[in-house]
Amino acid sequence: MTAALREDFREILRLTPAGARVLDVGCGEGDLLDLLARERGVDGQGLEISAQGVAACLARGLAVVQGDADRDLDSFPTRAFDMAILSKTLQQMRDPRHVVSELLRIADRAVVSFPNFGHWRVRWALLARGRMPETRTLPNPWWSTPNIHLCTLHDFLALTDDLGLVIESCAALSEGRPARPIDPRSVLENWRAEAAVFVLRRGG
């Protein structure tokens, strides 16, 4: 692993069992899938919307299919995977509720990471400047961002409650430091966390 490895990738690597069947949704050019294959020996597959990302994955010898998570997760068999991963992609989905629900249909557990729009720097940018924030985790200006459904930790909790999901664990990412276990229902953590990584399973 290199020092430049994304903090959420480090945490996802820690959370992934050796040899697990893993689906990486929105896998990009395959950086996380490649890491999990090398470090955990996973049986991994990617779903990626861009032809460029698919080509890059195939060039690395990774199993990937081109598709749109908003509509193509429906074609995966139920419980086909041990773990489904949605890494900093939730906020780009047209229908986040459907996507999260599908992740936990096709996999026993889902790992979902996303930037926290409740972080204090985001709140300060809105309060002090009256403009959409540009931060380390939200670097694009509003007119060119791929993000269409930004949320806070507490917003995401409302979604998990609505879907009847169980939160097995949650970790905060801030200032480039290693992931830190948190209670996502804490008001303070909704201010402190730049991003969060949730591990979810179905209730009941």
Side-chain angles (χ1 to χ4, degrees), residues 131-201:
R131 297 185 57 183
M132 287 297 288
E134 294 177 36
T135 67
R136 198 172 68 91
T137 54
L138 297 168
N140 303 108
W142 69 268
W143 62 82
S144 65
T145 181
N147 301 325
I148 57 176
H149 280 117
L150 291 162
C151 69
T152 71
L153 265 63
H154 289 183
D155 289 324
F156 188 72
L157 289 172
L159 174 60
T160 62
D161 289 345
D162 184 61
L163 290 171
L165 305 181
V166 175
I167 298 170
E168 290 198 340
S169 66
C170 179
L173 305 172
S174 299
E175 305 290 344
R177 293 190 293 268
R180 174 175 54 84
I182 63 167
D183 174 3
R185 300 190 184 277
S186 163
V187 173
L188 180 60
E189 296 297 353
N190 200 27
W191 283 79
R192 294 175 63 190
E194 283 186 331
V197 182
F198 283 78
V199 180
L200 309 170
R201 63 175 171 82

Side-chain angles (χ1 to χ4, degrees), residues 33 35 141:
L33 264 181
L35 175 70

